Short mmCIF file of all heavy atoms in Angstrom, two decimals:
data_model
loop_
_atom_site.label_atom_id
_atom_site.label_comp_id
_atom_site.label_asym_id
_atom_site.label_seq_id
_atom_site.Cartn_x
_atom_site.Cartn_y
_atom_site.Cartn_z
N ILE A 210 7.06 -2.78 -0.01
CA ILE A 210 5.68 -2.92 0.43
C ILE A 210 5.11 -1.54 0.71
O ILE A 210 5.72 -0.74 1.44
CB ILE A 210 5.59 -3.79 1.69
CG1 ILE A 210 6.12 -5.19 1.37
CG2 ILE A 210 4.15 -3.86 2.21
CD1 ILE A 210 6.30 -6.08 2.58
N ALA A 211 3.97 -1.26 0.12
CA ALA A 211 3.23 -0.03 0.41
C ALA A 211 2.22 -0.37 1.49
O ALA A 211 1.37 -1.25 1.30
CB ALA A 211 2.51 0.48 -0.84
N TRP A 212 2.32 0.28 2.62
CA TRP A 212 1.33 0.11 3.68
C TRP A 212 0.39 1.28 3.53
O TRP A 212 0.73 2.42 3.86
CB TRP A 212 2.01 0.10 5.03
CG TRP A 212 1.25 -0.59 6.12
CD1 TRP A 212 0.06 -1.24 6.02
CD2 TRP A 212 1.66 -0.71 7.48
NE1 TRP A 212 -0.30 -1.76 7.24
CE2 TRP A 212 0.67 -1.45 8.16
CE3 TRP A 212 2.76 -0.25 8.20
CZ2 TRP A 212 0.75 -1.74 9.51
CZ3 TRP A 212 2.84 -0.55 9.54
CH2 TRP A 212 1.84 -1.29 10.19
N VAL A 213 -0.77 1.03 2.96
CA VAL A 213 -1.67 2.09 2.52
C VAL A 213 -2.76 2.34 3.55
O VAL A 213 -3.44 1.42 4.00
CB VAL A 213 -2.30 1.74 1.15
CG1 VAL A 213 -3.20 2.87 0.66
CG2 VAL A 213 -1.20 1.46 0.12
N ASN A 223 -8.68 2.43 7.21
CA ASN A 223 -8.31 1.13 6.67
C ASN A 223 -6.81 1.12 6.47
O ASN A 223 -6.25 2.07 5.93
CB ASN A 223 -9.04 0.90 5.33
CG ASN A 223 -8.58 -0.35 4.62
OD1 ASN A 223 -7.72 -0.29 3.76
ND2 ASN A 223 -9.13 -1.48 4.99
N LEU A 224 -6.13 0.05 6.90
CA LEU A 224 -4.70 -0.14 6.66
C LEU A 224 -4.52 -1.46 5.93
O LEU A 224 -5.05 -2.48 6.37
CB LEU A 224 -3.93 -0.22 7.98
CG LEU A 224 -3.80 1.02 8.83
CD1 LEU A 224 -3.08 0.69 10.14
CD2 LEU A 224 -3.05 2.09 8.08
N ALA A 225 -3.76 -1.44 4.86
CA ALA A 225 -3.53 -2.67 4.11
C ALA A 225 -2.16 -2.62 3.42
O ALA A 225 -1.79 -1.60 2.87
CB ALA A 225 -4.63 -2.88 3.07
N PRO A 226 -1.43 -3.74 3.46
CA PRO A 226 -0.14 -3.81 2.78
C PRO A 226 -0.29 -4.35 1.36
O PRO A 226 -1.11 -5.23 1.10
CB PRO A 226 0.64 -4.80 3.65
CG PRO A 226 -0.41 -5.73 4.18
CD PRO A 226 -1.67 -4.91 4.32
N PHE A 227 0.54 -3.81 0.47
CA PHE A 227 0.53 -4.26 -0.93
C PHE A 227 1.97 -4.37 -1.41
O PHE A 227 2.70 -3.38 -1.43
CB PHE A 227 -0.24 -3.27 -1.82
CG PHE A 227 -1.69 -3.18 -1.46
CD1 PHE A 227 -2.13 -2.19 -0.60
CD2 PHE A 227 -2.60 -4.09 -1.97
CE1 PHE A 227 -3.47 -2.11 -0.25
CE2 PHE A 227 -3.94 -4.02 -1.62
CZ PHE A 227 -4.38 -3.03 -0.75
N LYS A 253 -11.49 -4.63 -2.73
CA LYS A 253 -10.84 -4.38 -1.44
C LYS A 253 -11.14 -2.95 -0.97
O LYS A 253 -11.31 -2.03 -1.76
CB LYS A 253 -9.33 -4.60 -1.54
CG LYS A 253 -9.00 -6.09 -1.59
CD LYS A 253 -7.57 -6.36 -1.26
CE LYS A 253 -7.35 -7.86 -1.24
NZ LYS A 253 -5.97 -8.23 -1.15
N THR A 255 -9.32 -0.67 0.38
CA THR A 255 -8.37 0.35 -0.04
C THR A 255 -8.79 0.97 -1.37
O THR A 255 -8.81 2.19 -1.51
CB THR A 255 -6.95 -0.24 -0.17
OG1 THR A 255 -6.56 -0.77 1.10
CG2 THR A 255 -5.95 0.79 -0.64
N VAL A 270 7.40 0.27 5.17
CA VAL A 270 7.34 -0.62 6.32
C VAL A 270 8.75 -0.87 6.83
O VAL A 270 9.58 -1.42 6.11
CB VAL A 270 6.67 -1.97 5.95
CG1 VAL A 270 6.61 -2.89 7.15
CG2 VAL A 270 5.28 -1.73 5.37
N PHE A 274 7.70 -2.89 12.28
CA PHE A 274 6.27 -2.92 11.96
C PHE A 274 5.84 -4.22 11.27
O PHE A 274 4.68 -4.36 10.88
CB PHE A 274 5.89 -1.75 11.06
CG PHE A 274 6.10 -0.40 11.67
CD1 PHE A 274 6.80 0.57 10.99
CD2 PHE A 274 5.59 -0.10 12.92
CE1 PHE A 274 6.99 1.82 11.53
CE2 PHE A 274 5.78 1.15 13.48
CZ PHE A 274 6.49 2.11 12.78
N LEU A 275 6.77 -5.16 11.07
CA LEU A 275 6.47 -6.35 10.28
C LEU A 275 5.26 -7.11 10.80
O LEU A 275 4.35 -7.43 10.03
CB LEU A 275 7.69 -7.27 10.20
CG LEU A 275 7.51 -8.54 9.38
CD1 LEU A 275 7.13 -8.22 7.94
CD2 LEU A 275 8.79 -9.37 9.42
N GLU A 276 5.20 -7.40 12.09
CA GLU A 276 4.08 -8.17 12.63
C GLU A 276 2.76 -7.42 12.46
O GLU A 276 1.76 -8.00 12.02
CB GLU A 276 4.31 -8.49 14.11
CG GLU A 276 3.23 -9.36 14.69
CD GLU A 276 3.48 -9.71 16.16
OE1 GLU A 276 4.63 -9.66 16.61
OE2 GLU A 276 2.49 -10.02 16.84
N ALA A 277 2.75 -6.13 12.77
CA ALA A 277 1.53 -5.33 12.62
C ALA A 277 1.10 -5.27 11.16
O ALA A 277 -0.08 -5.39 10.84
CB ALA A 277 1.75 -3.93 13.18
N MET A 278 2.07 -5.11 10.26
CA MET A 278 1.76 -5.05 8.83
C MET A 278 1.13 -6.36 8.38
O MET A 278 0.15 -6.36 7.64
CB MET A 278 3.03 -4.75 8.04
CG MET A 278 2.85 -4.58 6.55
SD MET A 278 3.01 -6.07 5.53
CE MET A 278 4.52 -6.81 6.04
N GLN A 279 1.67 -7.49 8.83
CA GLN A 279 1.10 -8.78 8.45
C GLN A 279 -0.33 -8.93 8.98
O GLN A 279 -1.18 -9.49 8.29
CB GLN A 279 1.98 -9.92 8.95
CG GLN A 279 3.27 -10.06 8.15
CD GLN A 279 4.14 -11.18 8.68
OE1 GLN A 279 4.70 -11.09 9.76
NE2 GLN A 279 4.23 -12.24 7.89
N GLN A 280 -0.61 -8.43 10.17
CA GLN A 280 -1.96 -8.50 10.71
C GLN A 280 -2.95 -7.76 9.81
O GLN A 280 -4.07 -8.21 9.61
CB GLN A 280 -2.02 -7.91 12.12
CG GLN A 280 -1.33 -8.75 13.16
CD GLN A 280 -1.31 -8.06 14.51
OE1 GLN A 280 -1.08 -6.86 14.62
NE2 GLN A 280 -1.53 -8.84 15.56
N THR A 281 -2.51 -6.64 9.25
CA THR A 281 -3.42 -5.83 8.43
C THR A 281 -3.70 -6.44 7.07
O THR A 281 -4.53 -5.92 6.33
CB THR A 281 -2.90 -4.38 8.26
OG1 THR A 281 -1.65 -4.39 7.57
CG2 THR A 281 -2.76 -3.69 9.61
N SER A 282 -3.04 -7.54 6.75
CA SER A 282 -3.35 -8.21 5.48
C SER A 282 -4.58 -9.11 5.62
O SER A 282 -5.08 -9.64 4.63
CB SER A 282 -2.15 -9.02 4.99
OG SER A 282 -1.89 -10.11 5.85
N THR A 283 -5.08 -9.26 6.83
CA THR A 283 -6.29 -10.05 7.09
C THR A 283 -7.50 -9.34 6.51
O THR A 283 -7.64 -8.13 6.64
CB THR A 283 -6.49 -10.24 8.61
OG1 THR A 283 -5.31 -10.82 9.15
CG2 THR A 283 -7.68 -11.12 8.90
N GLU A 284 -8.37 -10.08 5.86
CA GLU A 284 -9.60 -9.49 5.31
C GLU A 284 -10.61 -9.27 6.44
O GLU A 284 -11.06 -10.21 7.07
CB GLU A 284 -10.21 -10.39 4.24
CG GLU A 284 -9.39 -10.46 2.98
CD GLU A 284 -10.04 -11.31 1.90
OE1 GLU A 284 -11.19 -11.76 2.07
OE2 GLU A 284 -9.38 -11.53 0.88
N LEU A 285 -10.94 -8.02 6.67
CA LEU A 285 -11.96 -7.65 7.65
C LEU A 285 -13.16 -7.11 6.90
O LEU A 285 -13.04 -6.64 5.76
CB LEU A 285 -11.43 -6.59 8.61
CG LEU A 285 -10.23 -6.98 9.50
CD1 LEU A 285 -9.81 -5.79 10.36
CD2 LEU A 285 -10.57 -8.17 10.36
N SER A 290 -11.95 -1.13 11.14
CA SER A 290 -10.60 -0.58 11.06
C SER A 290 -9.54 -1.57 11.50
O SER A 290 -9.60 -2.08 12.63
CB SER A 290 -10.51 0.68 11.92
OG SER A 290 -9.16 1.13 11.99
N GLU A 291 -8.56 -1.80 10.64
CA GLU A 291 -7.41 -2.63 11.01
C GLU A 291 -6.60 -1.93 12.10
O GLU A 291 -6.09 -2.58 13.00
CB GLU A 291 -6.52 -2.90 9.78
CG GLU A 291 -7.12 -3.80 8.75
CD GLU A 291 -8.11 -3.10 7.83
OE1 GLU A 291 -8.30 -1.87 7.94
OE2 GLU A 291 -8.72 -3.80 7.00
N ALA A 292 -6.48 -0.61 12.01
CA ALA A 292 -5.73 0.14 13.01
C ALA A 292 -6.34 -0.06 14.40
O ALA A 292 -5.63 -0.33 15.37
CB ALA A 292 -5.69 1.63 12.66
N ALA A 293 -7.66 0.02 14.50
CA ALA A 293 -8.33 -0.16 15.78
C ALA A 293 -8.31 -1.63 16.20
O ALA A 293 -8.02 -1.95 17.36
CB ALA A 293 -9.77 0.35 15.71
N THR A 294 -8.60 -2.53 15.27
CA THR A 294 -8.66 -3.96 15.58
C THR A 294 -7.33 -4.49 16.10
O THR A 294 -7.29 -5.27 17.06
CB THR A 294 -9.10 -4.76 14.34
OG1 THR A 294 -10.40 -4.31 13.94
CG2 THR A 294 -9.14 -6.25 14.61
N TYR A 295 -6.23 -4.07 15.49
CA TYR A 295 -4.92 -4.59 15.85
C TYR A 295 -4.10 -3.61 16.70
O TYR A 295 -2.90 -3.81 16.89
CB TYR A 295 -4.15 -5.01 14.59
CG TYR A 295 -4.89 -6.07 13.81
CD1 TYR A 295 -5.40 -5.81 12.55
CD2 TYR A 295 -5.10 -7.33 14.37
CE1 TYR A 295 -6.11 -6.78 11.85
CE2 TYR A 295 -5.81 -8.30 13.68
CZ TYR A 295 -6.30 -8.02 12.42
OH TYR A 295 -7.01 -8.98 11.72
N HIS A 296 -4.74 -2.55 17.17
CA HIS A 296 -4.10 -1.57 18.07
C HIS A 296 -2.83 -0.99 17.45
O HIS A 296 -1.77 -0.95 18.10
CB HIS A 296 -3.82 -2.19 19.44
CG HIS A 296 -5.01 -2.89 20.02
ND1 HIS A 296 -6.12 -2.21 20.49
CD2 HIS A 296 -5.30 -4.21 20.17
CE1 HIS A 296 -7.02 -3.07 20.92
NE2 HIS A 296 -6.56 -4.30 20.72
N ILE A 297 -2.93 -0.55 16.19
CA ILE A 297 -1.80 0.04 15.49
C ILE A 297 -1.95 1.55 15.57
O ILE A 297 -2.90 2.12 15.04
CB ILE A 297 -1.75 -0.42 14.01
CG1 ILE A 297 -1.61 -1.95 13.97
CG2 ILE A 297 -0.62 0.27 13.27
CD1 ILE A 297 -1.85 -2.56 12.61
N ILE A 310 1.18 5.76 9.69
CA ILE A 310 1.53 4.90 10.81
C ILE A 310 2.42 5.72 11.75
O ILE A 310 3.38 6.35 11.31
CB ILE A 310 2.31 3.65 10.31
CG1 ILE A 310 1.54 2.91 9.21
CG2 ILE A 310 2.66 2.74 11.48
CD1 ILE A 310 0.15 2.50 9.55
#
Side-chain angles (χ1 to χ4, degrees):
I210 299 170
W212 204 2
V213 182
N223 173 264
L224 290 176
F227 297 94
K253 286 198 176 170
T255 301
V270 180
F274 298 129
L275 181 58
E276 184 179 337
M278 183 270 310
Q279 287 179 290
Q280 290 175 319
T281 63
S282 67
T283 305
E284 291 183 6
L285 298 178
S290 172
E291 290 80 3
T294 300
Y295 301 113
H296 310 289
I297 300 167
I310 307 305

